[in-house]
PDB file of all heavy atoms in Angstrom:
ATOM      1  N   ILE C 343     216.482  85.201-141.652  1.00 94.00           N
ATOM      2  CA  ILE C 343     217.741  84.439-141.576  1.00 94.00           C
ATOM      3  C   ILE C 343     218.563  84.672-142.847  1.00 94.00           C
ATOM      4  O   ILE C 343     219.753  84.996-142.792  1.00 94.00           O
ATOM      5  CB  ILE C 343     217.460  82.928-141.387  1.00 94.00           C
ATOM      6  CG1 ILE C 343     216.856  82.659-140.011  1.00 94.00           C
ATOM      7  CG2 ILE C 343     218.740  82.106-141.577  1.00 94.00           C
ATOM      8  CD1 ILE C 343     216.291  81.252-139.826  1.00 94.00           C
ATOM      9  N   ASN C 347     221.987  86.874-143.164  1.00 93.00           N
ATOM     10  CA  ASN C 347     223.246  86.273-143.621  1.00 93.00           C
ATOM     11  C   ASN C 347     223.815  87.049-144.797  1.00 93.00           C
ATOM     12  O   ASN C 347     225.018  87.335-144.849  1.00 93.00           O
ATOM     13  CB  ASN C 347     223.015  84.826-144.065  1.00 93.00           C
ATOM     14  CG  ASN C 347     223.053  83.868-142.894  1.00 93.00           C
ATOM     15  OD1 ASN C 347     223.434  84.258-141.789  1.00 93.00           O
ATOM     16  ND2 ASN C 347     222.645  82.638-143.119  1.00 93.00           N
ATOM     17  N   ALA C 348     222.948  87.378-145.779  1.00 94.00           N
ATOM     18  CA  ALA C 348     223.417  88.111-146.965  1.00 94.00           C
ATOM     19  C   ALA C 348     224.080  89.412-146.528  1.00 94.00           C
ATOM     20  O   ALA C 348     225.131  89.805-147.044  1.00 94.00           O
ATOM     21  CB  ALA C 348     222.245  88.374-147.897  1.00 94.00           C
ATOM     22  N   LYS C 350     225.370  90.046-143.529  1.00 91.00           N
ATOM     23  CA  LYS C 350     226.549  89.743-142.715  1.00 91.00           C
ATOM     24  C   LYS C 350     227.758  89.399-143.574  1.00 91.00           C
ATOM     25  O   LYS C 350     228.872  89.808-143.290  1.00 91.00           O
ATOM     26  CB  LYS C 350     226.234  88.528-141.827  1.00 91.00           C
ATOM     27  CG  LYS C 350     226.022  88.886-140.397  1.00 91.00           C
ATOM     28  CD  LYS C 350     225.912  87.712-139.427  1.00 91.00           C
ATOM     29  CE  LYS C 350     225.349  86.421-139.871  1.00 91.00           C
ATOM     30  NZ  LYS C 350     224.891  85.558-138.764  1.00 91.00           N
ATOM     31  N   TYR C 351     227.520  88.611-144.633  1.00 92.00           N
ATOM     32  CA  TYR C 351     228.655  88.093-145.400  1.00 92.00           C
ATOM     33  C   TYR C 351     228.941  88.894-146.677  1.00 92.00           C
ATOM     34  O   TYR C 351     229.637  88.412-147.576  1.00 92.00           O
ATOM     35  CB  TYR C 351     228.438  86.602-145.710  1.00 92.00           C
ATOM     36  CG  TYR C 351     228.311  85.796-144.442  1.00 92.00           C
ATOM     37  CD1 TYR C 351     227.098  85.242-144.046  1.00 92.00           C
ATOM     38  CD2 TYR C 351     229.418  85.627-143.595  1.00 92.00           C
ATOM     39  CE1 TYR C 351     226.978  84.529-142.863  1.00 92.00           C
ATOM     40  CE2 TYR C 351     229.304  84.924-142.405  1.00 92.00           C
ATOM     41  CZ  TYR C 351     228.089  84.380-142.048  1.00 92.00           C
ATOM     42  OH  TYR C 351     227.977  83.683-140.867  1.00 92.00           O
ATOM     43  N   ASP C 375     223.663  87.685-153.163  1.00 95.00           N
ATOM     44  CA  ASP C 375     224.558  88.740-152.651  1.00 95.00           C
ATOM     45  C   ASP C 375     225.871  88.681-153.406  1.00 95.00           C
ATOM     46  O   ASP C 375     226.146  87.717-154.131  1.00 95.00           O
ATOM     47  CB  ASP C 375     224.772  88.559-151.136  1.00 95.00           C
ATOM     48  CG  ASP C 375     225.448  87.258-150.784  1.00 95.00           C
ATOM     49  OD1 ASP C 375     226.534  86.972-151.328  1.00 95.00           O
ATOM     50  OD2 ASP C 375     224.889  86.487-149.955  1.00 95.00           O
ATOM     51  N   VAL C 378     231.060  86.996-149.754  1.00 92.00           N
ATOM     52  CA  VAL C 378     232.237  86.112-149.763  1.00 92.00           C
ATOM     53  C   VAL C 378     231.982  84.794-150.505  1.00 92.00           C
ATOM     54  O   VAL C 378     232.922  84.094-150.880  1.00 92.00           O
ATOM     55  CB  VAL C 378     232.706  85.807-148.314  1.00 92.00           C
ATOM     56  CG1 VAL C 378     233.223  87.051-147.636  1.00 92.00           C
ATOM     57  CG2 VAL C 378     231.588  85.172-147.493  1.00 92.00           C
ATOM     58  N   GLY C 379     230.731  84.451-150.721  1.00 93.00           N
ATOM     59  CA  GLY C 379     230.414  83.208-151.438  1.00 93.00           C
ATOM     60  C   GLY C 379     230.596  81.972-150.573  1.00 93.00           C
ATOM     61  O   GLY C 379     231.133  82.051-149.464  1.00 93.00           O
ATOM     62  N   VAL C 380     230.128  80.834-151.094  1.00 94.00           N
ATOM     63  CA  VAL C 380     230.248  79.561-150.346  1.00 94.00           C
ATOM     64  C   VAL C 380     230.977  78.562-151.241  1.00 94.00           C
ATOM     65  O   VAL C 380     230.585  78.357-152.394  1.00 94.00           O
ATOM     66  CB  VAL C 380     228.849  79.005-149.970  1.00 94.00           C
ATOM     67  CG1 VAL C 380     228.975  77.693-149.193  1.00 94.00           C
ATOM     68  CG2 VAL C 380     228.045  80.013-149.167  1.00 94.00           C
ATOM     69  N   ILE C 388     226.614  73.728-144.934  1.00 93.00           N
ATOM     70  CA  ILE C 388     226.198  74.926-144.192  1.00 93.00           C
ATOM     71  C   ILE C 388     224.757  74.830-143.662  1.00 93.00           C
ATOM     72  O   ILE C 388     224.385  75.578-142.777  1.00 93.00           O
ATOM     73  CB  ILE C 388     226.348  76.234-145.016  1.00 93.00           C
ATOM     74  CG1 ILE C 388     225.623  76.113-146.359  1.00 93.00           C
ATOM     75  CG2 ILE C 388     227.788  76.631-145.177  1.00 93.00           C
ATOM     76  CD1 ILE C 388     225.553  77.436-147.103  1.00 93.00           C
ATOM     77  N   TYR C 393     227.219  74.371-138.126  1.00 88.00           N
ATOM     78  CA  TYR C 393     228.281  74.392-139.128  1.00 88.00           C
ATOM     79  C   TYR C 393     228.588  75.829-139.538  1.00 88.00           C
ATOM     80  O   TYR C 393     227.702  76.570-139.971  1.00 88.00           O
ATOM     81  CB  TYR C 393     227.911  73.569-140.376  1.00 88.00           C
ATOM     82  CG  TYR C 393     229.099  73.409-141.285  1.00 88.00           C
ATOM     83  CD1 TYR C 393     230.049  72.435-141.035  1.00 88.00           C
ATOM     84  CD2 TYR C 393     229.305  74.291-142.351  1.00 88.00           C
ATOM     85  CE1 TYR C 393     231.178  72.309-141.836  1.00 88.00           C
ATOM     86  CE2 TYR C 393     230.433  74.163-143.155  1.00 88.00           C
ATOM     87  CZ  TYR C 393     231.361  73.175-142.884  1.00 88.00           C
ATOM     88  OH  TYR C 393     232.485  73.070-143.673  1.00 88.00           O
ATOM     89  N   ARG C 394     229.845  76.212-139.394  1.00 86.00           N
ATOM     90  CA  ARG C 394     230.273  77.539-139.822  1.00 86.00           C
ATOM     91  C   ARG C 394     231.518  77.375-140.678  1.00 86.00           C
ATOM     92  O   ARG C 394     232.413  76.622-140.324  1.00 86.00           O
ATOM     93  CB  ARG C 394     230.592  78.409-138.599  1.00 86.00           C
ATOM     94  CG  ARG C 394     229.341  78.766-137.818  1.00 86.00           C
ATOM     95  CD  ARG C 394     229.657  79.447-136.533  1.00 86.00           C
ATOM     96  NE  ARG C 394     230.373  78.550-135.645  1.00 86.00           N
ATOM     97  CZ  ARG C 394     230.599  78.788-134.364  1.00 86.00           C
ATOM     98  NH1 ARG C 394     230.175  79.916-133.827  1.00 86.00           N
ATOM     99  NH2 ARG C 394     231.236  77.944-133.613  1.00 86.00           N
ATOM    100  N   VAL C 395     231.543  78.099-141.780  1.00 85.00           N
ATOM    101  CA  VAL C 395     232.669  77.916-142.708  1.00 85.00           C
ATOM    102  C   VAL C 395     233.963  78.396-142.046  1.00 85.00           C
ATOM    103  O   VAL C 395     234.951  77.689-141.999  1.00 85.00           O
ATOM    104  CB  VAL C 395     232.404  78.662-144.026  1.00 85.00           C
ATOM    105  CG1 VAL C 395     233.627  78.603-144.926  1.00 85.00           C
ATOM    106  CG2 VAL C 395     231.181  78.072-144.713  1.00 85.00           C
ATOM    107  N   ASP C 396     233.909  79.621-141.541  1.00 76.00           N
ATOM    108  CA  ASP C 396     235.109  80.179-140.913  1.00 76.00           C
ATOM    109  C   ASP C 396     234.738  80.531-139.480  1.00 76.00           C
ATOM    110  O   ASP C 396     234.120  81.552-139.212  1.00 76.00           O
ATOM    111  CB  ASP C 396     235.554  81.425-141.695  1.00 76.00           C
ATOM    112  CG  ASP C 396     236.796  82.046-141.074  1.00 76.00           C
ATOM    113  OD1 ASP C 396     237.135  81.664-139.945  1.00 76.00           O
ATOM    114  OD2 ASP C 396     237.403  82.918-141.733  1.00 76.00           O
ATOM    115  N   ARG C 399     235.840  83.998-137.918  1.00 51.00           N
ATOM    116  CA  ARG C 399     235.172  85.169-138.488  1.00 51.00           C
ATOM    117  C   ARG C 399     233.727  85.253-137.987  1.00 51.00           C
ATOM    118  O   ARG C 399     233.245  86.300-137.613  1.00 51.00           O
ATOM    119  CB  ARG C 399     235.173  85.068-140.014  1.00 51.00           C
ATOM    120  CG  ARG C 399     234.590  86.274-140.697  1.00 51.00           C
ATOM    121  CD  ARG C 399     234.405  86.037-142.171  1.00 51.00           C
ATOM    122  NE  ARG C 399     233.386  85.043-142.429  1.00 51.00           N
ATOM    123  CZ  ARG C 399     233.246  84.404-143.574  1.00 51.00           C
ATOM    124  NH1 ARG C 399     234.083  84.614-144.553  1.00 51.00           N
ATOM    125  NH2 ARG C 399     232.290  83.526-143.734  1.00 51.00           N
ATOM    126  N   ASN C 400     233.101  84.094-137.910  1.00 49.00           N
ATOM    127  CA  ASN C 400     231.699  84.108-137.534  1.00 49.00           C
ATOM    128  C   ASN C 400     231.459  84.411-136.070  1.00 49.00           C
ATOM    129  O   ASN C 400     230.415  84.919-135.704  1.00 49.00           O
ATOM    130  CB  ASN C 400     231.042  82.774-137.888  1.00 49.00           C
ATOM    131  CG  ASN C 400     231.007  82.614-139.385  1.00 49.00           C
ATOM    132  OD1 ASN C 400     231.530  83.462-140.098  1.00 49.00           O
ATOM    133  ND2 ASN C 400     230.400  81.563-139.849  1.00 49.00           N
ATOM    134  N   GLY C 404     228.888  87.032-134.791  1.00 59.00           N
ATOM    135  CA  GLY C 404     227.818  86.661-133.871  1.00 59.00           C
ATOM    136  C   GLY C 404     227.031  85.425-134.223  1.00 59.00           C
ATOM    137  O   GLY C 404     226.065  85.123-133.552  1.00 59.00           O
ATOM    138  N   GLY C 405     227.450  84.675-135.264  1.00 75.00           N
ATOM    139  CA  GLY C 405     226.656  83.495-135.664  1.00 75.00           C
ATOM    140  C   GLY C 405     227.010  82.260-134.863  1.00 75.00           C
ATOM    141  O   GLY C 405     228.105  82.133-134.328  1.00 75.00           O
ATOM    142  N   HIS C 406     226.054  81.332-134.783  1.00 83.00           N
ATOM    143  CA  HIS C 406     226.297  80.057-134.098  1.00 83.00           C
ATOM    144  C   HIS C 406     226.211  78.897-135.073  1.00 83.00           C
ATOM    145  O   HIS C 406     226.355  77.756-134.688  1.00 83.00           O
ATOM    146  CB  HIS C 406     225.241  79.832-133.014  1.00 83.00           C
ATOM    147  CG  HIS C 406     225.355  80.775-131.879  1.00 83.00           C
ATOM    148  ND1 HIS C 406     226.335  80.684-130.936  1.00 83.00           N
ATOM    149  CD2 HIS C 406     224.598  81.845-131.548  1.00 83.00           C
ATOM    150  CE1 HIS C 406     226.179  81.655-130.056  1.00 83.00           C
ATOM    151  NE2 HIS C 406     225.143  82.374-130.406  1.00 83.00           N
ATOM    152  N   GLY C 407     225.893  79.200-136.321  1.00 88.00           N
ATOM    153  CA  GLY C 407     225.753  78.115-137.298  1.00 88.00           C
ATOM    154  C   GLY C 407     224.416  77.407-137.185  1.00 88.00           C
ATOM    155  O   GLY C 407     224.283  76.262-137.614  1.00 88.00           O
ATOM    156  N   LEU C 408     223.420  78.065-136.621  1.00 90.00           N
ATOM    157  CA  LEU C 408     222.102  77.427-136.501  1.00 90.00           C
ATOM    158  C   LEU C 408     221.078  78.011-137.469  1.00 90.00           C
ATOM    159  O   LEU C 408     220.053  77.393-137.750  1.00 90.00           O
ATOM    160  CB  LEU C 408     221.561  77.570-135.075  1.00 90.00           C
ATOM    161  CG  LEU C 408     222.263  76.745-133.996  1.00 90.00           C
ATOM    162  CD1 LEU C 408     221.658  77.024-132.630  1.00 90.00           C
ATOM    163  CD2 LEU C 408     222.158  75.260-134.306  1.00 90.00           C
ATOM    164  N   GLY C 409     221.375  79.236-137.980  1.00 92.00           N
ATOM    165  CA  GLY C 409     220.403  79.946-138.812  1.00 92.00           C
ATOM    166  C   GLY C 409     219.931  79.127-140.005  1.00 92.00           C
ATOM    167  O   GLY C 409     218.729  78.924-140.204  1.00 92.00           O
ATOM    168  N   LEU C 410     220.883  78.610-140.793  1.00 95.00           N
ATOM    169  CA  LEU C 410     220.497  77.871-141.999  1.00 95.00           C
ATOM    170  C   LEU C 410     219.856  76.518-141.664  1.00 95.00           C
ATOM    171  O   LEU C 410     219.020  76.025-142.429  1.00 95.00           O
ATOM    172  CB  LEU C 410     221.701  77.681-142.919  1.00 95.00           C
ATOM    173  CG  LEU C 410     222.180  78.963-143.621  1.00 95.00           C
ATOM    174  CD1 LEU C 410     223.396  78.683-144.496  1.00 95.00           C
ATOM    175  CD2 LEU C 410     221.071  79.572-144.480  1.00 95.00           C
ATOM    176  N   ALA C 411     220.233  75.960-140.497  1.00 93.00           N
ATOM    177  CA  ALA C 411     219.587  74.698-140.079  1.00 93.00           C
ATOM    178  C   ALA C 411     218.100  74.963-139.821  1.00 93.00           C
ATOM    179  O   ALA C 411     217.241  74.166-140.220  1.00 93.00           O
ATOM    180  CB  ALA C 411     220.259  74.151-138.833  1.00 93.00           C
ATOM    181  N   SER C 434     226.922  84.637-153.395  1.00 96.00           N
ATOM    182  CA  SER C 434     226.122  83.406-153.432  1.00 96.00           C
ATOM    183  C   SER C 434     224.639  83.726-153.595  1.00 96.00           C
ATOM    184  O   SER C 434     224.204  84.863-153.373  1.00 96.00           O
ATOM    185  CB  SER C 434     226.359  82.588-152.164  1.00 96.00           C
ATOM    186  OG  SER C 434     226.332  83.432-151.047  1.00 96.00           O
ATOM    187  N   PHE C 436     220.903  82.128-152.450  1.00 97.00           N
ATOM    188  CA  PHE C 436     220.138  81.128-151.706  1.00 97.00           C
ATOM    189  C   PHE C 436     218.760  81.016-152.348  1.00 97.00           C
ATOM    190  O   PHE C 436     218.022  81.997-152.412  1.00 97.00           O
ATOM    191  CB  PHE C 436     220.034  81.520-150.221  1.00 97.00           C
ATOM    192  CG  PHE C 436     221.313  81.237-149.479  1.00 97.00           C
ATOM    193  CD1 PHE C 436     222.371  82.136-149.534  1.00 97.00           C
ATOM    194  CD2 PHE C 436     221.464  80.056-148.767  1.00 97.00           C
ATOM    195  CE1 PHE C 436     223.564  81.863-148.874  1.00 97.00           C
ATOM    196  CE2 PHE C 436     222.648  79.782-148.104  1.00 97.00           C
ATOM    197  CZ  PHE C 436     223.704  80.680-148.163  1.00 97.00           C
TER     198      PHE C 436
HETATM  199  P1  LIG B   1     225.685  81.765-138.821  1.00 75.79           P
HETATM  200  O1  LIG B   1     224.871  82.124-137.643  1.00 75.79           O
HETATM  201  O2  LIG B   1     227.078  81.372-138.497  1.00 75.79           O
HETATM  202  O3  LIG B   1     225.575  82.710-139.937  1.00 75.79           O
HETATM  203  P2  LIG B   1     224.155  80.042-140.509  1.00 75.79           P
HETATM  204  O4  LIG B   1     223.608  78.703-140.279  1.00 75.79           O
HETATM  205  O5  LIG B   1     223.189  81.126-140.835  1.00 75.79           O
HETATM  206  O6  LIG B   1     225.024  80.391-139.256  1.00 75.79           O
HETATM  207  O7  LIG B   1     225.195  79.927-141.666  1.00 75.79           O
HETATM  208  C1  LIG B   1     226.136  78.880-141.684  1.00 75.79           C
HETATM  209  C2  LIG B   1     227.356  79.270-142.429  1.00 75.79           C
HETATM  210  O8  LIG B   1     227.063  79.426-143.807  1.00 75.79           O
HETATM  211  C3  LIG B   1     227.886  80.611-142.002  1.00 75.79           C
HETATM  212  O9  LIG B   1     228.734  80.481-140.907  1.00 75.79           O
HETATM  213  C4  LIG B   1     228.619  81.077-143.244  1.00 75.79           C
HETATM  214  O10 LIG B   1     229.921  80.545-143.248  1.00 75.79           O
HETATM  215  C5  LIG B   1     227.847  80.460-144.375  1.00 75.79           C
HETATM  216  N1  LIG B   1     226.934  81.440-145.006  1.00 75.79           N
HETATM  217  C6  LIG B   1     225.639  81.614-144.729  1.00 75.79           C
HETATM  218  N2  LIG B   1     225.098  82.596-145.509  1.00 75.79           N
HETATM  219  C7  LIG B   1     226.089  83.015-146.310  1.00 75.79           C
HETATM  220  C8  LIG B   1     226.180  84.027-147.354  1.00 75.79           C
HETATM  221  N3  LIG B   1     225.136  84.752-147.710  1.00 75.79           N
HETATM  222  N4  LIG B   1     227.372  84.193-147.936  1.00 75.79           N
HETATM  223  C9  LIG B   1     228.434  83.440-147.587  1.00 75.79           C
HETATM  224  N5  LIG B   1     228.426  82.498-146.640  1.00 75.79           N
HETATM  225  C10 LIG B   1     227.263  82.285-145.997  1.00 75.79           C
END
Side-chain angles (χ1 to χ4, degrees):
I343 292 169
N347 276 350
K350 254 189 329 199
Y351 300 109
D375 63 54
V378 294
V380 180
I388 54 171
Y393 190 82
R394 291 172 295 191
V395 174
D396 180 347
R399 184 189 67 198
N400 293 4
H406 292 286
L408 289 178
L410 289 179
S434 44
F436 283 82

